[in-house]
Amino acid sequence: MAQNQRNYQKEMEKIIDKLQGERKRLLLHSCCAPCSSAVLEKLQEVFEVTVFFYNPNISEDTEYQKRVVEQKRLIDAFNKKNPTCPIYMIDGDYQPQKFYDIAKGYESCPEGGERCFRCFGLRLEATAQIAKKENYDFFTTTLTISPLKNAAKLNEIGEEMAKQYECTWLPSDFKKKEGYKRSIELSKEYDLYRQDFCGCAFSKAESLKRKMDMNITN
């Protein structure tokens, strides 16, 4: 079956069904609190989840810290609501230079292109390294909940990292079954800060340009 025809959501559901209620340890890379909201709601009672907040692509320290605070606030709220299935968190190092290093030569790529794929690889490799070192049963990412992110490419990279570091990737396409819509609902419910760009300087510049173009048009 061609990769773009795979249903990653169904693949994940089959894996969960085989667990038969056994709560395995899952390391969940999170890009932000809003994207993680619907994912955590779905997985909290299925897995023992540890959120790994590692996003060196975020170009400004103030923006980074704002997103970290929101991630922690959301996890605290979920844990108060469901204390029998606590969610843990690993606050990754803030390493923006690593992002600029992998983005070098790809600065002009449009969002969703090769620069983004390299960024996915940077974040998922760090996640796989911890998954291997700490013996997690699975690792995955919240990034597939976004309709702007290439779920097939994310799963491809995740599977590559799983092979490289000898750990197990949990396939996903969290935006399926109205996952993205649910993340918007939960963001409103918990009054989460929702950014309008992925975090990197290049994405921010594109976002600002779109706004300027809209203002000119209007």
Side-chain angles (χ1 to χ4, degrees):
M1 181 182 293
Q3 185 162 10
N4 61 5
Q5 294 177 326
R6 288 174 61 183
N7 188 320
Y8 297 102
Q9 180 69 15
K10 284 189 176 180
E11 290 183 26
M12 181 183 71
E13 291 172 353
K14 287 181 180 179
I15 291 171
I16 290 174
D17 286 343
K18 289 180 180 178
L19 297 179
Q20 297 180 339
E22 183 180 357
R23 293 181 73 236
K24 297 288 188 178
R25 297 174 68 232
L26 169 70
L27 184 64
L28 175 68
H29 166 263
S30 175
C31 55
C32 63
C35 286
S36 72
S37 60
V39 177
L40 290 174
E41 182 181 63
K42 184 179 185 66
L43 300 181
Q44 183 176 13
E45 293 188 5
V46 178
F47 296 97
E48 180 186 298
V49 181
T50 297
V51 169
F52 178 40
F53 191 89
Y54 179 68
N55 299 291
N57 57 304
I58 300 175
S59 57
E60 299 174 7
D61 181 71
T62 53
E63 178 71 18
Y64 184 89
Q65 296 305 326
K66 187 183 294 185
R67 296 191 193 191
V68 170
V69 168
E70 288 294 87
Q71 183 69 77
K72 291 178 178 178
R73 185 168 70 85
L74 179 67
I75 291 173
D76 286 344
F78 269 54
N79 285 343
K80 287 177 182 177
K81 189 173 181 179
N82 190 353
T84 60
C85 299
I87 299 166
Y88 306 98
M89 178 172 169
I90 298 173
D91 191 350
D93 294 333
Y94 180 41
Q95 302 170 318
Q97 189 56 50
K98 285 196 172 185
F99 168 74
Y100 285 113
D101 288 345
I102 61 97
K104 190 173 182 180
Y106 298 88
E107 295 88 347
S108 299
C109 286
E111 189 170 0
E114 185 60 31
R115 185 185 65 242
C116 292
F117 298 161
R118 293 171 69 84
C119 180
F120 298 161
L122 174 64
R123 291 186 275 177
L124 291 182
E125 180 170 20
T127 311
Q129 288 172 338
I130 293 178
K132 172 65 174 178
K133 181 180 179 181
E134 302 297 331
N135 296 312
Y136 282 88
D137 298 297
F138 299 95
F139 76 102
T140 195
T141 180
T142 63
L143 286 165
T144 64
I145 202 167
S146 171
L148 300 177
K149 300 293 188 294
N150 187 323
K153 191 66 178 180
L154 281 160
N155 279 281
E156 175 188 319
I157 294 170
E159 289 170 350
E160 289 174 358
M161 295 304 168
K163 290 179 182 178
Q164 183 175 341
Y165 290 97
E166 299 179 323
C167 49
T168 304
W169 170 254
L170 181 69
S172 76
D173 193 350
F174 289 116
K175 64 180 167 288
K176 294 286 185 68
K177 294 189 175 180
E178 298 192 327
Y180 178 67
K181 178 183 177 182
R182 182 57 179 158
S183 74
I184 295 174
E185 293 171 349
L186 287 169
S187 294
K188 291 179 180 178
E189 179 181 337
Y190 290 97
D191 192 25
L192 297 175
Y193 162 63
R194 287 183 65 87
Q195 61 285 346
D196 59 359
F197 67 106
C198 82
C200 77
F202 313 110
S203 172
K204 185 175 184 179
E206 286 190 37
S207 177
L208 290 172
K209 185 178 184 302
R210 285 194 296 270
K211 290 178 181 179
M212 290 178 63
D213 291 342
M214 287 178 63
N215 290 334
I216 292 171
T217 302
N218 296 333

